[in-house]
Amino acid sequence: MNACAIKPVMPFVTRRQLERTPATEDNRKMVEFMDSHNFSFDIDAKTKTLKCTVTEK
């Protein structure tokens, strides 16, 4: 089984108005890291172990 993590491109839908909060420095660094790297996940069906591979774009 393989999986891929990508940022959503569709808008988030809610019934209530969302409050905007300023992004922290940690949040900005995390998003910068996710934008500059590719993530790949593989779960071995027999051993049920997860292998995550992170490579630079």
Side-chain angles (χ1 to χ4, degrees):
M1 171 194 271
N2 294 322
C4 180
I6 60 172
K7 292 175 72 173
V9 293
M10 298 183 65
F12 182 77
V13 178
T14 180
R15 294 180 185 192
R16 300 181 195 164
Q17 184 172 353
L18 297 176
E19 298 291 327
R20 186 163 188 92
T21 56
T24 65
E25 184 64 28
D26 288 340
N27 292 117
R28 282 187 279 248
K29 287 180 182 178
M30 187 171 24
V31 170
E32 184 179 303
F33 182 82
M34 288 188 287
D35 286 343
S36 64
H37 290 78
N38 291 318
F39 298 85
S40 175
F41 302 95
D42 183 36
I43 301 173
D44 189 323
K46 292 181 181 178
T47 63
K48 306 292 186 205
T49 57
L50 172 67
K51 179 182 177 185
C52 177
T53 306
V54 180
T55 57
E56 287 191 41
K57 287 187 179 178

